[in-house]
Amino acid sequence: MPAAENHNPAPELPTRRPGFQASGLGIALFSSAVFGLSGSFAKSLLETGWSPGAAVTARLTGAALLLAVPAAWALKGRWHQLRDNWLTIVLFGLIGVAACQLFYFNAVARLSVGVALLLEYLAPVIIVLWLWAASRRRPSVLTAGGTLLSLAGLVLVLDLTGAVKVDLVGVLWGMAAAVCLAIYFFITARENDTLPPIVLASGGLMVGAAVMWLAAATGLLPMAFSAADTALGPWTTPWWAPLAGLVVLATVLAYVSGVMAARALGSKVASFVSLTEVLFAVVWAWLLLGELPGAIQLLGGIFIVGGVILVRLDELRVPATSAPRDGGKGTRVPASPLEHANDVEPVP
């Protein structure tokens, strides 16, 4: 049958307006910049005696309270949206918010901010390796090359032969954050446009805060706070200053703008742009903490980011549905999970 007579054509994918994409790019860069502040603000608190669990709990609780009223207003009485999407909200809060942040802050307590974040950004490589083993489907040359480049970068970041040894426990926490982020990618690999961005962010933060308080109440999560002054760059600040920055800038604005960027650009493009968070985090740590990874670690970071870029470029070449694979009968077969496994923006 000629193509013109096909009565069941494949649905066309929605396109985004250029102006909408341009504004989305600015939002995505802003989101990366404020997300990149989280490690520096958190470390300034950790160095005065705060525990990672306390820093994460205070961050999530404060942000959840700030977003509660705006999120309720955004729902406009459509409370059924929470019921219809409760699983997405719970998983977002449990894995993408609470666990990922706790593991990352534990890594930051023992490593430099840049090294901890680079370890977390190995999540796309973990996804590729897992899917390769599970599906026995060999990845493309571009994806395989990006994976090998990132693994080589990991070796350089760890600087195993250097004079200053990297803390092994910190490395394990960073890898745990990467695994957690990879699991989050698998769970939320499909976009969900039925919830306003601020509602999804607020719901996830509330779930994350509740989980952290429950863990603290049962004794599973050590909690230690301090009212000592903190050091940020050339300034000595009260403890609430970095905490306010952690809550307002690195959480409330970061999560809401991140979800907005994903919906303006598409989750793949937004996650690609979010790689700039590594650059922002290193710059902020240098300006606010005086931290800068060694030359060999910076080279390793370039390798890791370069490898992830190759993997993402390969993903961006694959549409949401692949070309016809049914012998030319005019229908489309969904793409393999390997082709869109990282179809969501990272959540540090």
Side-chain angles (χ1 to χ4, degrees):
M1 179 182 295
E5 298 179 17
N6 181 11
H7 297 289
N8 296 297
E12 295 183 2
L13 297 177
T15 58
R16 292 176 170 86
R17 298 187 302 275
F20 191 46
Q21 287 188 318
S23 62
L25 178 60
I27 295 173
L29 290 173
F30 173 80
S31 179
S32 292
V34 289
F35 259 134
L37 281 165
S38 65
S40 296
F41 284 143
K43 189 150 192 175
S44 69
L45 293 171
L46 299 178
E47 289 179 343
T48 65
W50 285 61
S51 67
V56 173
T57 303
R59 177 189 190 186
L60 300 187
T61 303
L65 292 175
L66 286 177
L67 284 178
V69 174
W73 181 84
L75 279 174
K76 297 178 180 178
R78 300 187 298 269
W79 300 106
H80 66 89
Q81 291 184 341
L82 295 179
R83 182 180 64 253
D84 295 341
N85 297 279
W86 70 270
L87 183 58
T88 298
I89 295 173
V90 169
L91 293 176
F92 180 82
L94 181 61
I95 298 177
V97 176
C100 197
Q101 286 186 24
L102 180 61
F103 296 161
Y104 172 59
F105 279 13
N106 273 290
V108 165
R110 294 174 173 270
L111 304 171
S112 70
V113 172
V115 170
L117 191 58
L118 286 169
L119 290 173
E120 184 180 0
Y121 263 81
L122 286 170
V125 177
I126 294 174
I127 291 173
V128 170
L129 294 176
W130 170 256
L131 287 175
W132 187 0
S135 67
R136 301 185 182 277
R137 180 185 174 195
R138 185 172 58 186
S140 69
V141 173
L142 199 59
T143 293
T147 301
L148 292 176
L149 186 62
S150 289
L151 292 176
L154 173 62
V155 174
L156 295 178
V157 165
L158 297 182
D159 195 12
L160 299 177
T161 60
V164 179
K165 298 300 181 183
V166 174
D167 189 291
L168 177 59
V169 176
V171 171
L172 293 177
W173 280 120
M175 295 301 296
V179 171
C180 184
L181 188 57
I183 295 172
Y184 168 71
F185 286 152
F186 278 119
I187 293 173
T188 58
R190 295 186 180 277
E191 295 184 31
N192 185 333
D193 293 331
T194 62
L195 280 176
I198 195 171
V199 175
L200 179 58
S202 176
L205 290 166
M206 288 180 181
V207 170
V211 169
M212 299 300 290
W213 283 114
L214 180 61
T218 56
L220 296 176
L221 184 66
M223 287 286 206
F225 300 88
S226 173
D229 289 343
T230 60
L232 285 174
W235 306 285
T236 298
T237 64
W239 62 270
W240 54 261
L243 180 60
L246 191 62
V247 170
V248 177
L249 295 177
T251 309
V252 173
L253 292 181
Y255 272 98
V256 174
S257 59
V259 176
M260 290 172 63
R263 294 181 180 179
L265 298 174
S267 56
K268 281 186 178 179
V269 178
S271 63
F272 183 85
V273 177
S274 73
L275 287 171
T276 57
E277 182 191 339
V278 176
L279 174 61
F280 283 117
V282 171
V283 171
W284 287 127
W286 176 44
L287 294 175
L288 299 177
L289 302 175
E291 282 186 358
L292 193 64
I296 192 70
Q297 292 178 316
L298 288 174
L299 178 61
I302 293 173
F303 279 17
I304 289 177
V305 174
V308 174
I309 286 175
L310 290 179
V311 172
R312 294 197 190 278
L313 284 175
D314 200 18
E315 292 173 349
L316 289 171
R317 297 191 311 168
V318 181
T321 54
S322 61
R325 300 174 184 170
D326 60 347
K329 295 181 181 179
T331 59
R332 288 177 179 254
V333 178
S336 159
L338 187 59
E339 294 170 345
H340 57 76
N342 201 16
D343 193 16
V344 70
E345 77 283 357
V347 181

